[in-house]
């Protein structure tokens, strides 16, 4: 299939990512349409981006999480395709042109992405053998959410990311739902991106982010498995996590390691909240 730049809107969800977002934007095709969802409600960043770039719209938003914020950008875009990116992703000089060339070898797709340049951290997973049809293209089961070119026509009723997730597994859930519909997902090996990962924010200077991540990892793990495989299976899958977190919480409590104790307390709380059907309500402090 053929795909042109004017059919694509780039959506970047940001939360206090001022240190990296400019590199991301500057690496994209110069005339691309870009929507930035800024989850820290940073008016100064909005003013600066919209002043420096005439192809960018910045939407200020309360922190709803990656999935819900991606949905805002996808639904806001008026193109047939949306390229969802994290602000710590950088295109190489030939990333986009090579991607467009590779797309010509496939008839249709639901989600595709360039490949992450760091081979030690692949941005995809393959669980089964696929028929090889081109040496530069891999058909995959899941694609990491930091880079996804989404074909909006493949999603019924604009059901993109599950907004119940705040952190973790929202992209795995999205890909699994598409696989159940027999939709195709591909990684383009001739097109590379650089993913910095764990970009610095003010929040990174405290333990608060680590605690929140542990809470949401456990919440998301149970919710994901309950959604796709049922409550009993989710209990079986997470039982070891529950007992491990409980044991380690008491161990670090009696050894006076406050930091580790809090980590496993947050894991327990995230898992228990998910098991009891409560929403993923925990949010970082500004």
């Amino acid at each position: 299939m053929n795909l042109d730049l004017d059919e694509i809107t780039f959506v970047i969800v940001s939360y206090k990512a001022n240190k990296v977002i400019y590199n991301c934007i500057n690496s994209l095709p110069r005339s691309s349409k870009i929507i930035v969802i800024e989850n820290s409600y940073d008016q100064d960043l909005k003013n600066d981006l919209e002043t420096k770039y005439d192809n960018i719209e910045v939407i200020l938003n309360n922190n709803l999480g990656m999935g819900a914020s991606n949905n805002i950008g996808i639904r806001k875009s008026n193109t047939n395709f949306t390229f969802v990116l994290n602000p710590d992703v950088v295109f190489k000089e030939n990333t986009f042109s090579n991607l467009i060339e590779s797309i010509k070898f496939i008839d249709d797709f639901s989600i595709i992405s360039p490949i992450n340049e760091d081979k030690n951290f692949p941005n995809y997973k393959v669980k089964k053998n696929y028929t090889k049809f081109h040496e530069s293209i891999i058909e995959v089961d899941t694609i990491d959410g930091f880079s996804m070119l989404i074909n909006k026509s493949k999603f019924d009723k604009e059901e993109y990311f599950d907004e119940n997730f705040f952190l973790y597994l929202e992209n795995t859930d999205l890909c699994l739902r598409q696989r159940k519909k027999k939709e195709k997902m591909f990684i383009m090996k001739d097109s590379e991106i650089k993913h910095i990962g764990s970009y610095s924010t003010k929040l990174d200077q405290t333990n608060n982010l680590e605690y929140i991540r542990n809470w949401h990892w456990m919440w998301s793990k149970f919710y994901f498995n309950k959604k796709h495989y049922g409550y009993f299976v989710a209990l079986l899958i997470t039982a070891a996590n529950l007992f491990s977190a409980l044991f380690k919480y008491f161990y670090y409590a009696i050894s006076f390691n406050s930091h580790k104790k809090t980590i496993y307390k947050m894991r327990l709380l995230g898992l228990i909240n998910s098991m009891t059907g409560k929403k993923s309500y925990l949010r970082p402090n500004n």
Side-chain angles (χ1 to χ4, degrees), residues 14-26 38 42 45 49 87-90 196 198-205:
S14 168
Y15 181 79
K16 299 183 180 182
N18 305 49
K19 292 183 179 180
V20 294
I21 193 170
Y22 290 92
N23 290 334
C24 176
I25 292 169
N26 290 333
E38 176 50 50
D42 188 339
L45 179 63
L49 288 175
D88 56 350
V89 170
V90 177
I196 299 171
S198 299
Y199 57 85
S200 295
T201 70
K202 293 179 181 178
L203 196 57
D204 291 326
Q205 298 171 8

Side-chain angles (χ1 to χ4, degrees), residues 20-38:
V20 294
I21 193 170
Y22 290 92
N23 290 334
C24 176
I25 292 169
N26 290 333
S27 73
L28 301 181
R30 187 164 298 178
S31 58
S32 56
K33 308 178 190 74
I34 301 173
I35 297 174
V36 174
I37 312 296
E38 176 50 50

